[in-house]
Amino acid sequence: MYDTILVPTDGSDPANRAVEHALALAEHYDSHVDILYCVETSRYGEPALSSAEIVLNDLEERGQALLDDLAERADNYGTEVSTCLCHGRPWEEILARADTVDADLLVIGYQGQSHSRGGKIGSTAERVVRSADRPVLTA
């Protein structure tokens, strides 16, 4: 039913739940999982030897460490996984990656680390749900 499942992550608790759902679904359907981490450059601008460059480098390192950890976790499920670290607006990059990998399903946390509206869907998840041309599961 699902050959490729895309799961974006930012390391938040809802994103971790989404990863667990994606891995469980992948195990059940023998699917490939593509895990995406997006460094949100729109917040900091593109670096030009400034403090923004330091922040973006830190975010890249944190994102790569998270992707490596999640790929290892996927091995425990016996699931084939690929990872991608990108820059841009997360919701746009999620939709673009879904097209690139031809994802059959997107599994996304209902809110991320920067979310402050308790219990409500975050802006990235909302934009993905509204704009995706394929099924989206929020966790």
Side-chain angles (χ1 to χ4, degrees):
M1 181 170 213
Y2 303 117
D3 293 325
T4 303
I5 299 171
L6 173 63
V7 58
T9 186
D10 65 358
S12 64
D13 288 341
N16 287 333
R17 281 193 300 276
V19 168
E20 290 302 319
H21 280 288
L23 293 175
L25 284 167
E27 182 180 40
H28 180 78
Y29 290 108
D30 194 30
S31 307
H32 175 86
V33 174
D34 191 80
I35 305 172
L36 175 69
Y37 181 91
C38 183
V39 176
E40 189 173 354
T41 52
S42 62
R43 234 180 229 193
Y44 304 102
E46 286 298 327
L49 297 175
S50 67
S51 59
E53 184 175 18
I54 295 168
V55 171
L56 291 174
N57 285 341
D58 180 56
L59 290 171
E60 285 177 359
E61 289 174 9
R62 189 170 14 146
Q64 191 58 57
L66 178 61
L67 289 173
D68 293 345
D69 177 60
L70 295 176
E72 187 176 310
R73 208 183 314 174
D75 283 343
N76 295 335
Y77 281 85
T79 299
E80 182 183 332
V81 67
S82 56
T83 62
C84 178
L85 187 139
C86 65
H87 288 224
R89 288 188 168 94
W91 71 275
E92 291 174 346
E93 296 300 324
I94 292 165
L95 295 174
R97 184 70 180 173
D99 287 340
T100 299
V101 300
D102 195 24
D104 301 297
L105 176 68
L106 295 147
V107 182
I108 186 170
Y110 76 99
Q111 57 183 229
Q113 285 191 3
S114 64
H115 192 73
S116 60
R117 299 180 335 197
K120 297 189 178 187
I121 191 167
S123 59
T124 297
E126 181 178 5
R127 287 178 177 139
V128 168
V129 167
R130 289 181 184 268
S131 303
D133 59 356
R134 61 200 80 224
V136 180
L137 174 86
T138 59

